[in-house]
Amino acid sequence: MDRTMRNYWRNGLFLIVAVLWWLPLKTYAQLERYNPNFDLQIRGADGTFSKAKHFCDTIPIEVEDDRIFMQIDIDGQPHRVILDTGSSQGMIFQASAVSGLKLLGNIISYDANNHNDTVCVVQLPKFNLGRLSIDGYVASLMPRAAISRKYDAIIGFDLFNHGLCGKIDTKQKILILTDQKKFFREEEKVGFRLKYKLKWFVPYLYISPFVRHTDEALFDTGFPQLYTMNDESLVQHIADDLSHLNKTLGAEIERQIEGRSMGQMSIGGFGTERHDEVAFLHLDRLRWGELSLTDVQAITTQGASKIGAPLLNLGSLIINPFKKTITLTPFPDNYQEASKSIHIGNKQFSVAFVPNGLKTIVGLIWEGSEPYKAGMRQGDTILQIDQQPILTFSDFLRYRFIKGYTHRFLLRDVSGQEKTVECVIK
């Protein structure tokens, strides 16, 4: 397996823990009052601020679970934020330590499963990001998921919709922001560029999971998996081949489906997705323009198809809102220039846990996974982990899983019988 894809959270059971602490926070389009027109100033060498014009700023970032974290300062107090291109505007949480929020009104907000609810919109107090001072930044006010405190707020794609080009480089751990349209022109020439279009103010682009097929996918740096495919898209891909009597291509798609299962895994801000069929995919290649990502494991979902944060492991990435392009320039150590390809070799999805009332149940499990072979089944309720009671879903999310350690689960199956299952987290 390519060394860039070896992060522990992506292998087996712990992958799904990472998925679950993030998905409850995801919302999509803020269809009303969308406003990326915040004010920008930049700090000069003398420490004073002036209107940000013809500037370039390099901002240090942290990379955790492949995702991008930055520090902002409000009234001299540091706060940790995450950069999420899958969110149209910012988000801040009701339990956040940030004070001085200005209430603007209410909007209808949609979560990852297309459920919606009314949420408050607030304006953050003026904050500093690198040398930039941002005033008038708008965010949704969201309830915090029951997780360990990793960050206070989300910075959304409005950072780029405002008119800023950005370069993300996870090797150098920097984000470069500039208002100069041609600043990255030479770098964009040597990378693999895709056009995107804005839907609900977030970037969607076309990739190719199968020969002669394209899939519209959200580019989402807040999503912890490299690729997921909308379940209806998979059905349509197969139907398109059958309608053209292309049995050879149709068989090729079916060959890349490792298995199917019934269950649910995606937890949106306003509820869990419905119980439905999930396909486990092993793609020969996933095409990003002329670049091939080979040997890719993925699953289907009821939400939008997505290209997620692990893409940032593969190369530096430039977002150009003036041309509406996203350019990936592969890192030399994992790029095969002759074939224009990168080997991925990631592990297949294992198991997802979802809330059921106050309890935690197995929402989805792959039959080829270690937990399934050990006896875990869809619908099982978790009673204990390593003799520690799991009374609520919050208890489960707070539990510290250890890489390589055999954890002992006490479960109650759908018939009411209790059983013990031991699983190693790889």
Side-chain angles (χ1 to χ4, degrees):
M1 182 174 70
D2 189 277
R3 69 181 181 86
T4 63
M5 305 305 290
R6 291 178 180 171
N7 289 342
Y8 67 87
W9 64 267
R10 198 178 300 112
N11 296 328
L13 188 61
F14 196 77
L15 162 64
I16 309 309
V17 177
V19 171
L20 292 179
W21 69 252
W22 169 246
L23 286 178
L25 309 182
K26 292 294 295 178
T27 61
Y28 283 125
Q30 297 184 350
L31 300 180
E32 300 177 17
R33 301 182 185 226
Y34 179 76
N35 179 19
N37 298 320
F38 44 83
D39 294 325
L40 276 180
Q41 292 189 323
I42 191 156
R43 186 176 65 249
D46 61 356
T48 62
F49 285 90
S50 60
K51 184 176 177 60
K53 189 175 182 180
H54 304 302
F55 74 90
C56 177
D57 192 25
T58 299
I59 300 163
I61 61 175
E62 296 178 73
V63 182
E64 183 178 325
D65 294 340
D66 298 329
R67 281 162 281 191
I68 305 304
F69 293 87
M70 307 178 293
Q71 179 178 299
I72 64 172
D73 292 289
I74 301 176
D75 293 330
Q77 297 297 315
H79 297 276
R80 198 180 193 217
V81 299
I82 189 169
L83 178 63
D84 176 15
T85 61
S87 181
S88 58
Q89 287 184 268
M91 294 183 205
I92 194 163
F93 308 104
Q94 292 175 356
S96 170
V98 176
S99 59
L101 303 176
K102 179 182 178 182
L103 184 63
L104 300 180
N106 297 322
I107 61 165
I108 303 297
S109 185
Y110 290 79
D111 72 5
N113 301 316
N114 206 33
H115 301 148
N116 66 77
D117 203 350
T118 302
V119 299
C120 293
V121 180
V122 297
Q123 181 177 298
L124 273 63
K126 182 188 295 187
F127 63 87
N128 296 331
L129 173 63
R131 294 192 300 125
L132 292 173
S133 174
I134 299 177
D135 192 14
Y137 190 78
V138 174
S140 300
L141 184 62
M142 302 294 291
R144 176 175 288 279
I147 58 173
S148 59
R149 189 180 183 86
K150 290 179 176 287
Y151 51 91
D152 285 314
I154 291 169
I155 300 295
F157 199 70
D158 52 350
L159 186 67
F160 306 101
N161 285 341
H162 180 85
L164 299 182
C165 292
K167 177 182 177 180
I168 302 170
D169 189 321
T170 57
K171 280 195 178 296
Q172 297 188 58
K173 293 184 171 55
I174 56 172
L175 166 67
I176 300 175
L177 292 177
T178 179
D179 63 342
Q180 300 176 51
K181 298 180 181 181
K182 298 180 180 181
F183 188 85
F184 299 113
R185 179 173 55 186
E186 295 305 314
E187 292 183 68
E188 289 177 293
K189 289 180 181 179
V190 300
F192 295 91
R193 186 187 312 181
L194 284 184
K195 293 281 290 184
Y196 70 80
K197 65 178 180 179
L198 292 176
K199 292 178 63 175
W200 307 294
F201 312 110
V202 288
Y204 282 77
L205 40 79
Y206 285 96
I207 56 174
S208 174
F210 307 114
V211 175
R212 300 182 187 178
H213 287 263
T214 58
D215 189 28
E216 185 182 72
L218 170 65
F219 173 63
D220 186 354
T221 57
F223 188 65
Q225 297 182 46
L226 177 62
Y227 176 59
T228 59
M229 182 187 294
N230 173 262
D231 53 1
E232 294 180 0
S233 294
L234 177 62
V235 172
Q236 189 62 52
H237 290 314
I238 296 173
D240 286 347
D241 279 347
L242 292 177
S243 67
H244 290 87
L245 301 179
N246 196 333
K247 296 181 180 180
T248 300
L249 285 179
E252 281 298 293
I253 293 178
E254 290 288 352
R255 178 183 60 79
Q256 295 175 74
I257 301 175
E258 287 190 314
R260 291 182 168 89
S261 182
M262 296 298 295
Q264 53 187 165
M265 65 162 287
S266 178
I267 308 171
F270 310 122
T272 306
E273 68 180 355
R274 69 183 184 277
H275 191 273
D276 205 351
E277 184 178 73
V278 173
F280 299 89
L281 308 176
H282 189 172
L283 305 179
D284 295 336
R285 94 292 183 275
L286 179 67
R287 297 272 293 193
W288 174 283
E290 296 300 313
L291 177 66
S292 291
L293 311 180
T294 62
D295 188 15
V296 176
Q297 302 274 8
I299 61 173
T300 59
T301 177
Q302 294 169 35
S305 298
K306 296 179 187 177
I307 289 285
L311 184 75
L312 301 175
N313 285 332
L314 307 180
S316 63
L317 192 132
I318 296 171
I319 299 172
N320 188 328
F322 302 103
K323 295 181 179 179
K324 287 189 169 55
T325 57
I326 299 175
T327 303
L328 177 67
T329 303
F331 295 133
D333 58 354
N334 59 7
Y335 175 53
Q336 304 298 317
E337 187 173 2
S339 59
K340 294 184 179 180
S341 67
I342 300 174
H343 179 255
I344 304 301
N346 55 328
K347 294 293 185 180
Q348 183 53 279
F349 170 94
S350 178
V351 59
F353 299 96
V354 299
N356 182 23
L358 292 177
K359 299 296 185 180
T360 303
I361 67 170
V362 177
L364 177 68
I365 189 166
W366 179 43
E367 292 186 5
S369 68
E370 179 184 330
Y372 186 91
K373 294 174 181 178
M376 192 174 287
R377 295 293 183 268
Q378 196 275 333
D380 287 348
T381 299
I382 299 180
L383 304 178
Q384 296 179 4
I385 304 177
D386 300 327
Q387 298 183 331
Q388 179 175 323
I390 304 296
L391 303 179
T392 67
F393 192 62
S394 298
D395 292 340
F396 172 77
L397 291 177
R398 284 193 293 263
Y399 192 82
R400 296 181 62 85
F401 289 93
I402 302 172
K403 179 183 176 182
Y405 181 78
T406 300
H407 291 278
R408 186 180 180 89
F409 291 79
L410 178 62
L411 306 170
R412 180 184 295 121
D413 66 21
V414 293
S415 69
Q417 298 296 311
E418 294 186 3
K419 59 184 176 182
T420 299
V421 172
E422 294 184 351
C423 299
V424 175
I425 297 178
K426 299 180 180 179

